[in-house]
Amino acid sequence: MTQMVKSEFAKKVLIPLLVLSLLAAMVGVLVKTDFVRAEEAPQLPSFDIPALTSEHQSSSLPNVIVVATGGTLAGKARNDDPTNFQNYAAGTFLMADLVAQLPNKGKIADVSTYQFGNKGSGGYTIKELYDLSLAVDAALEIYDSAVVTTGTDTMEEIAYFLDLTVRSEKPVVVTGAMRPWDVIGTDGPANLYQAIKVAGSAKTKWFGTVVMLNDTIYAAREVTKTNAHRNDTFDAPMFGALGYVDDPAVRIYRAPARALKAGTAEWASPFDLTTISKDSLPMVEIVYNYQEASGGAIRGLVEDGAKGIVTAGTGAGGISSKLGAARTKAISENGVVFVSTTRTGSGSVYDGGTGNVIGGDNLNAAHARMMLLLSLAFTNDVSKIRDWFTTFGTQDVEISVDANTVLSTSVEEVIAEPVVIEPTPEVEIPVATDAPTEPVTVEPTPEAAPVTP
C-alpha cells in the first residue's frame, strides 16, 4: 500500500516537476540562443590609439585621426613607374608617411594617424571590420573626428558597416583613391587632404559615416562605386551628394534622414558591437537574378551554412521561378532569412509585412547584406529584423506636427463651390513575398521631385 501511495505521489508531483524543469531548460536555451550576445560580456580587442600631444591639446585646431587600412591610396606603382595607373601594390605606404607629405595641413587640423592595417579593401574579413569599427569608436573617445582610408573596391560596404555600428556621433569620413600615391595625376593626396578638412569642419556630426572622394560628400548608406577606373566613380544614384569640398569651404546642402534624430535615443544604431562576440557574425550571401536563373545558387549557399541571403532581383526585386522555389524551400526547411533588392542600381523594393522575405527598400545588394548580417548577429526574430530594415535601414524622412501647430497658406482662399477631384487609379506596387513569382512590370507615374532635408 505504501509503495502504491509513493508511486501515485511520483506521478502527480514529481513527473510534472520534471516536465516543468525540462521546459524551463528549453526556454533558457532558446533565450540564450537569441540573446546570448547581449547577456555575455564578449572579449573585446584593444587598440593602441595614440594620445593627444601636448601641442595638440593646447591648439585651437580640431583634432583629426586618420585610421588607415591600406588600399590604392597607400599603393605603390609597380617597377617604380609613375605611369602605372592600374598596375600597383595596394597598401604599401604607411599612413604616417603619407600624412607627413601633405602640404599646409596645419591650416585645417591637427592630424594624428593609426595604422589599423595595410591591404586592399576586398581582403578584409567581416571579423576584421568588427575590429575596425571598435577601433574607430576608441579613437573618437580621444579625437574630435576620424578619417578612415580604405580601398575603393568594397569601400561602400566598409563605410556602411561603420555607419551601422560606430556608436559615436562625431564625424567619420571614409576616403581612398583611384590611383596609387606615386603616379602622375594621383588623386590620393587631394582626397586625403579634403577628407581631413571635412572631418575637421564637424559639419557631418550626427550624419553617421560619410564617404568623400573627388571633392564630393555622400552618405554611406546611399553611395556606390559606378566605374572601374574613373576618378569620379562614386555616386548616389537616387539621392545625389550631401555636399562638396571647395577651397576653403565645406558645403553641406542636404542632410541624411538620420541627422533629424540628432541627440535622441532613436539616432543610435541598434547594432552595438560591444555586446556581441565577432564569432556571432553569421554567413550572409548575395544571389543575382537573371534570365531563367537556376536555384542552384541558393541551394549551394544554404548547404554552405548561409543564415541569410540577399537577392539582387530584376526590376522591383523579381526572381526566376527556380530561384523562387529554392528560396521557399530554404525558408521552410532551414529558416533562412531573405532580403529582396533590385539589380538595377536604384529604386525601392517594398516590404510585404510578413514571412522570411524582407523588402530592402532602396539599399543595394551589398548594403542590404551588411544590414542583414548585423541583424542576424543580434537576433533570430524575423519580425525584429523586419522592423530594423523598415526603420533604421530605410531612413525615410518624417516631420511631426503637434496638435497646437496650425499649418496654412499665406493667403486665405474662399471657395464658393466644392471642387470635385476624380481619384487617380491606384497602381499595384510589387512587394517582397515568400511566393516565387515572376517580376511585375509597372509603368511609372510621373512624380514631382522629392524634397530632401
Side-chain angles (χ1 to χ4, degrees):
M1 182 68 178
T2 302
Q3 292 294 332
M4 291 177 63
V5 170
K6 289 182 178 179
S7 177
E8 290 297 321
F9 176 79
K11 291 179 180 178
K12 293 181 179 181
V13 179
L14 296 181
I15 292 177
L17 286 175
L18 179 61
V19 172
L20 287 173
S21 65
L22 289 172
L23 288 173
M26 290 174 65
V27 171
V29 170
L30 291 174
V31 171
K32 187 176 181 65
T33 299
D34 199 27
F35 300 105
V36 62
R37 305 147 187 116
E39 293 177 355
E40 297 179 357
Q43 187 70 31
L44 299 176
S46 59
F47 308 97
D48 189 19
I49 305 296
L52 288 173
T53 65
S54 57
E55 291 81 5
H56 288 181
Q57 290 180 22
S58 60
S59 171
S60 60
L61 290 172
N63 291 298
V64 178
I65 186 166
V66 180
V67 180
T69 73
T72 300
L73 187 145
K76 178 177 174 57
R78 299 287 186 189
N79 305 318
D80 293 322
D81 182 351
T83 61
N84 259 342
F85 299 112
Q86 267 79 54
N87 189 7
Y88 58 90
T92 300
F93 297 115
L94 296 177
M95 184 51 60
D97 297 332
L98 302 186
V99 167
Q101 297 176 40
L102 293 180
N104 298 325
K105 60 183 177 294
K107 296 194 307 182
I108 56 175
D110 292 322
V111 187
S112 301
T113 65
Y114 175 68
Q115 194 74 43
F116 175 85
N118 213 10
K119 57 184 176 181
S121 60
Y124 282 94
T125 66
I126 300 299
K127 290 183 178 181
E128 288 175 315
L129 298 189
Y130 169 100
D131 289 343
L132 176 62
S133 178
L134 294 178
V136 171
D137 260 325
L140 291 175
E141 292 179 4
I142 303 172
Y143 292 85
D144 298 322
S145 54
V147 170
V148 179
T149 62
T150 79
T152 60
D153 282 354
T154 61
M155 177 180 285
E156 63 194 89
E157 295 163 72
I158 294 174
Y160 192 47
F161 187 93
L162 295 176
D163 186 53
L164 291 171
T165 56
V166 169
R167 311 302 294 172
S168 176
E169 77 282 2
K170 295 178 181 178
V172 178
V173 182
V174 175
T175 194
M178 290 298 290
R179 294 176 175 177
W181 187 270
D182 58 348
V183 300
I184 58 173
T186 177
D187 55 333
N191 284 343
L192 181 58
Y193 184 90
Q194 298 289 60
I196 292 170
K197 186 190 297 184
V198 174
S201 75
K203 287 195 171 184
T204 61
K205 183 178 181 181
W206 297 109
F207 278 30
T209 299
V210 301
V211 171
M212 197 299 303
L213 285 92
N214 207 40
D215 298 340
T216 311
I217 306 166
Y218 298 100
R221 180 191 178 278
E222 302 164 357
V223 73
T224 188
K225 188 173 183 178
T226 66
N227 189 281
H229 302 298
R230 302 288 77 80
N231 287 359
D232 60 349
T233 177
F234 282 93
D235 194 12
M238 282 189 68
F239 307 98
L242 299 177
Y244 301 91
V245 192
D246 295 315
D247 186 13
V250 175
R251 300 294 192 196
I252 300 297
Y253 296 102
R254 181 175 70 84
R258 187 180 181 187
L260 296 179
K261 300 176 181 178
T264 70
E266 288 74 22
W267 179 89
S269 157
F271 308 122
D272 184 354
L273 295 183
T274 63
T275 65
I276 67 169
S277 163
K278 67 177 68 177
D279 293 328
S280 302
L281 297 165
M283 178 180 173
V284 174
E285 302 296 326
I286 297 173
V287 170
Y288 191 90
N289 185 55
Y290 46 88
Q291 197 74 33
E292 200 181 1
S294 78
I298 289 178
R299 290 192 296 271
L301 292 172
V302 172
E303 185 178 346
D304 279 352
K307 303 302 180 185
I309 294 175
V310 175
T311 56
T314 48
I319 60 175
S320 70
S321 58
K322 293 178 181 178
L323 275 178
R327 181 174 68 180
T328 299
K329 183 177 180 181
I331 292 170
S332 62
E333 296 185 3
N334 302 93
V336 177
V337 180
F338 285 80
V339 172
S340 179
T341 68
T342 175
R343 75 178 198 184
T344 61
S346 65
S348 296
V349 176
Y350 294 93
D351 182 66
T354 59
N356 272 39
V357 181
I358 299 170
D361 192 61
N362 47 49
L363 293 172
N364 67 23
H367 288 153
R369 174 177 176 259
M370 288 301 185
M371 181 76 188
L372 181 57
L373 189 154
L374 286 165
S375 297
L376 287 169
F378 281 81
T379 186
N380 299 321
D381 184 347
V382 178
S383 63
K384 186 65 176 177
I385 296 173
R386 171 172 278 105
D387 179 65
W388 285 337
F389 263 89
T390 54
T391 54
F392 197 85
T394 297
Q395 291 292 331
D396 61 338
V397 175
E398 294 183 5
I399 304 298
S400 298
V401 178
D402 60 49
N404 298 320
T405 302
V406 178
L407 299 178
S408 64
T409 60
S410 58
V411 179
E412 295 184 1
E413 297 180 20
V414 179
I415 301 177
E417 296 181 3
V419 177
V420 178
I421 301 176
E422 293 295 331
T424 302
E426 295 184 355
V427 177
E428 184 178 352
I429 300 176
V431 297
T433 62
D434 290 2
T437 59
E438 293 297 328
V440 179
T441 302
V442 179
E443 290 297 327
T445 302
E447 296 180 347
V451 179
T452 55

